[in-house]
Amino acid sequence: MTGAADARGLIHQGLLYGADEQFLAATVPFCRDGLERGDAVLAVTTATNADLLRDGLGADAGHVRFVDADTWYDTPGRTLAAYHRYVDERADGDGRVRVIGEPVWHGRDDLAVAEWTRYESVINLAFADSPAWIVCPYDTRVVPERIVDDARRTHPDLVVGSLAETSPAYLAPALLTTGARRAPAVAGEGGAVLRFGSDLAAVRRFVADTADSLGLSPTRTEHAVVAVNEVATNVLDHGGGSGWIALRRTGGRIVCDVADDGPAPLADWFAGYLPPAPGQRLGVGLWVVRQLCDLVEIQPRDTGTTVSLHFDV
Amino acid sequence: MVTAAIGGERPVRDIVPGDHLCLTFADDAEQRPVVTEYLSAGLSRGERVLCFVDRTTPGIVLDWLASTGVDTGAALLGGRLRLVPAADSYLASGRFDAAAMVGTVRREVDASLAEGFSGLRICGEMSWAVRESVGTAELARYEREVDAVFAGRPVSAVCQYDARLFGPDQLEVLDGCHRGSVEPPPLRGHDSLRLVPAGRAGRRRLRVIGTVDDRTHDHFVAALDAVLHRPGDVVLDLSALDFIDVAGLRALANAAARLGGHRRMRLAHPAPVLCEVVRLLGWDRTPGLVLLPEGDVA
């Protein structure tokens, strides 16, 4: 791994471990090496692993910043934004910004797992030019096998012990689209549909009234109104100029699909994950939408795009 | 006869005999419509109009009046319209003498009514006072004394103070020496978005009323452009803002960044969701942009 430290640009590695010793064999040298070089080191992991790592590092642990994974891995959009802020604030020197980032998989349903998998993939784009070195541990004792398989596809490199090797299964983010699992549309109760054109006030009223009647809290309803308005504005400004909105409740989520009438796909599936450059106009709205919602799926179709916004009730 | 109420702000059309009002303006857009409407309404009623001019020259005032269809040549010849420079009025003795000027105004009122005019409208621009370093106390004394000249007579007056020349503290004192203020004209609006000036004298705020979205975006940007060059901080009261989208917030951040120097754009009463979105975008760190959730504009 020493050689990798001298390369520029993102290093994004999966660490598939089946024993505590394997976790420590990779993470302890990663932290130590970084501290010796003066790199900032952040460890986002479980409480158990944090204790293991602290013991392994001894006195050096005081120089590593520890954050609890359940808090950090909130929603893909917010987590990515938080990483961006963290890296940006520390990326001005020659060194690297080192991160151990162990995503949370327990308690996630298929839909959330699919989007967090896309999140892992989009890291490769979002931080492509940044001096971040991100190691993502996957505990093969508890993480389902299909998620571990996805880790091989979303991480360009895999760490074994203190060495890294190329992951043969890795797919560039653009190629992951076809492999992503889209949740099938589930018919919900009490849903409503609105066709919309240029009148966004009507869109906002529809979202506010429907979300409220479906049981979304007033604050989250305000977030939903802002988010849907941004997506609908994109449809007016850059899409087909008209579309439809469907709001429904499926289990513990309010789901809002915003679809435009084409003619061409409006956005890539990862739009809004990449932070807007200063002065950039397009994509700023979706950057906000990703952070306001609990999950966002962007599904380009042959004609038009469907953007699904999810809000936990 | 309708008598002038004390205090408050009113539009030009509601000015009544006995009124002595203060007009604080930050640019032509705030000065021109008020002065033009006030003077041309007087002329069309057959009243005499007396204008003490200064930085806004006689030529400019005549152009403003002519643009509304007033036959300025005939009005000048008939003595219904008189334009008198500050040097021949406020500063007639070479320096400002409050008591002497009150006497001059009184003589003009007496003479106009004696000549048979049904009324008199006086409009005076006070910019010379800054040039001549006349103190606020001296001006305040003049404004208080001249007020008695109009009381109970078919006469009204509008004193024009340029907020680019006078400071906010000065304007607050001088505005208080009048029976009220002239309400500034609203900025060019839209059915679902209005920007209405509020607050008195040099402590002007702009109330943003309605929604900023795809439909009203261009109006919002134009309105911000129109107020950016005005002196001091730009204070926007957002308590009646129903909705603003990300593009609207970008327009605010861009405008704030363009202010430069020590000037600030202060957003009073922003909704919690607005603050949240601004923070998500990192625009709360825009130089010059200040969010005031409690509405404290001090």
Side-chain angles (χ1 to χ4, degrees), chain A residues 85 198-201 204 222-223 225-226 229-230 233 236-237 280-281 284-285 287-288 291-292, chain B residues 211-215 217 243-247 250 254 271-273 276-277 279-281 283 285:
Chain A
R85 276 193 293 274
S198 61
D199 186 3
L200 294 178
R204 295 192 295 268
E222 281 194 71
H223 292 165
V225 168
V226 172
N229 186 82
E230 288 306 318
T233 300
L236 297 190
D237 292 352
Q280 180 183 330
R281 294 179 63 90
V284 181
W287 173 253
V288 170
Q291 295 180 64
L292 288 176
Chain B
T211 59
V212 178
D213 66 3
D214 200 54
R215 199 172 263 186
H217 181 81
F243 182 82
I244 183 165
D245 65 4
V246 169
R250 182 197 298 111
N254 287 348
V273 68
E276 208 177 330
V277 172
R279 275 194 294 271
L280 290 180
L281 288 160
W283 291 346
R285 297 191 296 270

Side-chain angles (χ1 to χ4, degrees), chain A residues 36-306:
Chain A
E36 276 170 26
R37 290 166 177 264
D39 294 350
V41 182
L42 170 70
V44 184
T45 184
T46 62
T48 310
N49 279 348
D51 287 343
L52 284 174
L53 188 53
R54 280 198 186 92
D55 285 348
L57 287 169
D60 289 338
H63 302 288
V64 173
R65 186 175 163 204
F66 286 87
V67 175
D68 179 64
D70 281 320
T71 312
W72 186 264
Y73 289 98
D74 173 16
T75 77
R78 285 197 283 272
T79 303
L80 201 80
Y83 268 132
H84 267 292
R85 276 193 293 274
Y86 179 84
V87 172
D88 281 352
E89 284 165 13
R90 291 162 180 82
D92 44 3
D94 290 336
R96 286 207 166 260
V97 181
R98 295 187 185 223
V99 178
I100 296 168
E102 183 157 11
V104 174
W105 300 102
H106 62 86
R108 307 256 194 238
D109 63 12
D110 286 351
L111 194 67
V113 165
E115 194 58 31
W116 280 105
T117 301
R118 292 183 203 115
Y119 157 92
E120 280 281 40
S121 177
V122 87
I123 291 273
N124 299 305
L125 281 179
F127 293 94
D129 300 322
S130 105
W133 183 348
I134 306 173
V135 174
C136 304
Y138 283 69
D139 187 343
T140 57
R141 293 168 296 187
V142 291
V143 175
E145 197 177 334
R146 59 187 176 83
I147 294 177
V148 175
D149 285 343
D150 279 338
R152 295 190 174 93
R153 302 197 298 142
T154 54
H155 294 81
D157 299 312
L158 298 174
V159 183
V160 180
S162 61
L163 295 172
E165 57 191 39
T166 302
S167 174
Y170 175 69
L171 286 173
L175 299 175
L176 191 80
T177 319
T178 49
R181 290 178 296 273
R182 297 277 167 195
V186 180
E189 289 171 15
V193 176
L194 175 81
R195 279 209 67 84
F196 71 94
S198 61
D199 186 3
L200 294 178
V203 168
R204 295 192 295 268
R205 273 196 305 276
F206 169 78
V207 173
D209 293 349
T210 313
D212 179 62
S213 72
L214 292 173
L216 200 60
S217 74
T219 302
R220 293 303 280 154
T221 297
E222 281 194 71
H223 292 165
V225 168
V226 172
V228 175
N229 186 82
E230 288 306 318
V231 177
T233 300
N234 279 347
V235 170
L236 297 190
D237 292 352
H238 313 293
S242 65
W244 52 267
I245 297 173
L247 258 164
R248 63 191 189 282
R249 180 167 180 159
T250 60
R253 291 196 179 98
I254 306 286
V255 183
C256 181
D257 289 331
V258 184
D260 84 312
D261 295 333
L266 186 58
D268 298 311
W269 65 265
F270 48 78
Y273 271 135
L274 312 185
Q280 180 183 330
R281 294 179 63 90
L282 252 170
V284 181
L286 282 173
W287 173 253
V288 170
V289 170
R290 290 265 186 204
Q291 295 180 64
L292 288 176
C293 302
D294 292 308
L295 277 182
V296 176
E297 290 188 299
I298 300 179
Q299 205 161 358
R301 307 188 316 263
D302 288 341
T303 57
T305 309
T306 302

Side-chain angles (χ1 to χ4, degrees), chain A residues 20-38:
Chain A
D20 294 350
E21 296 71 28
Q22 289 174 342
F23 174 80
L24 291 171
T27 54
V28 170
F30 176 73
C31 293
R32 283 242 166 84
D33 185 39
L35 294 176
E36 276 170 26
R37 290 166 177 264

Side-chain angles (χ1 to χ4, degrees), chain B residues 44-80:
Chain B
S44 68
R45 289 158 177 243
E47 298 175 356
R48 170 174 276 174
V49 163
L50 173 58
C51 209
F52 296 120
V53 289
D54 193 52
R55 275 165 54 113
T56 311
T57 62
I60 293 171
V61 176
L62 290 173
D63 283 347
W64 289 354
L65 289 172
S67 72
T68 64
V70 171
D71 183 347
T72 53
L76 286 168
L77 280 173
R80 289 181 286 121

